[in-house]
Amino acid sequence: MPQCCINPSILSADFVNLEAELQRISNADSVHVDVMDNQFVPNLTIGLPVVQRIQAVSPVPLDVHLMIADADRWAPGYADAGVASVTFHAEASIAPVKLARELRARGSKAGMALRPATPVEPFLDMLPELDMLLIMTVEPGFGGQAFLDLTLPKIRRARAAIEGSGVNVALQVDGGITEDTILRAAEAGANVFVAGSAVYGAADPSEAIDRLRKAGTV
């Protein structure tokens, strides 16, 4: 299994003091930035201008998760901002292969996300075009939801496909990650974990990251 990576979600951070909140997670592998448009998901968060400012001050790389409609149109702009990784939803892209290639051509890693009910099998041929596959373990749109164990078989199938393909694709999970659920997700095959309230809800986010990383190393 590849290294266990912890990517805290700033969805649970204090947006008024965002630069200080980023410093509190400087031992993270990346910071997970949720972009929501009130169309693909019912919530509304931030857009490209704010991501550009976060990119300028963050002590760790940006892992941008686009929960937006018309990803083919908007996602490349986030790669142009210089972020480390851009993840779009398969359900929001008409031409996901083309989009993944465009993200890579613009200097970003390419990730693709799947809602809990979206099967992974139709997209397995795309693995060589991706740097990361994100299996949502809650319905996208809001933080603080409980982990959906029904996604574990899909995580296992995705891990088996990645291992069988021989390509180096990270397997990320997002939603309801705690010191308890991270073990179940890791045993199923995930190696990159998005955690919001489990990190920013702790008295010391840095220590919470270390605990999660230890719990998720199998």
Side-chain angles (χ1 to χ4, degrees):
M1 275 286 291
Q3 174 188 352
C4 170
C5 297
I6 306 299
N7 295 10
S9 169
I10 58 169
L11 193 63
S12 297
D14 178 0
F15 271 61
V16 175
N17 300 293
L18 202 48
E19 185 172 359
E21 292 284 74
L22 290 166
Q23 295 301 323
R24 297 174 76 199
I25 59 164
S26 59
N27 62 325
D29 295 281
S30 293
V31 56
H32 192 80
V33 181
D34 292 301
V35 176
M36 307 183 194
D37 65 354
N38 196 31
Q39 294 184 54
F40 181 72
V41 293
N43 201 3
L44 180 66
T45 56
I46 60 175
L48 182 56
V50 177
V51 171
Q52 290 170 328
R53 289 297 301 133
I54 295 172
Q55 169 69 15
V57 302
S58 177
V60 293
L62 266 60
D63 164 29
V64 175
H65 178 192
L66 300 178
M67 287 171 269
I68 63 174
D70 199 4
D72 304 86
R73 176 182 180 187
W74 298 112
Y78 289 85
D80 289 341
V83 305
S85 178
V86 177
T87 297
F88 62 91
H89 268 264
E91 304 91 348
S93 173
I94 295 173
V97 172
K98 178 177 180 292
L99 179 54
R101 290 180 177 179
E102 187 168 1
L103 293 173
R104 283 176 159 181
R106 297 187 185 210
S108 171
K109 291 183 178 180
M112 186 172 68
L114 304 175
R115 288 178 180 265
T118 301
V120 69
E121 285 75 14
F123 302 99
L124 294 180
D125 288 343
M126 267 193 69
L127 287 176
E129 307 290 343
L130 300 173
D131 299 289
M132 185 166 68
L133 180 65
L134 167 54
I135 304 295
M136 291 298 300
T137 45
V138 298
E139 287 297 336
F142 293 93
Q145 299 181 63
F147 183 90
L148 294 174
D149 282 283
L150 60 83
T151 61
L152 291 171
K154 183 162 69 168
I155 297 169
R156 295 189 189 98
R157 295 195 300 273
R159 171 52 61 189
I162 290 169
E163 297 296 331
S165 70
V167 296
N168 185 22
V169 177
L171 184 54
Q172 185 180 77
V173 290
D174 180 1
I177 296 299
T178 65
E179 289 183 60
D180 175 42
T181 60
I182 194 172
L183 177 60
R184 302 206 293 275
E187 288 177 339
N191 68 297
V192 183
F193 305 91
V194 178
S197 54
V199 171
Y200 278 112
D204 187 332
S206 179
E207 288 184 3
I209 291 168
D210 289 340
R211 291 195 301 270
L212 285 167
R213 190 177 282 120
K214 182 178 179 179
T217 300
V218 296

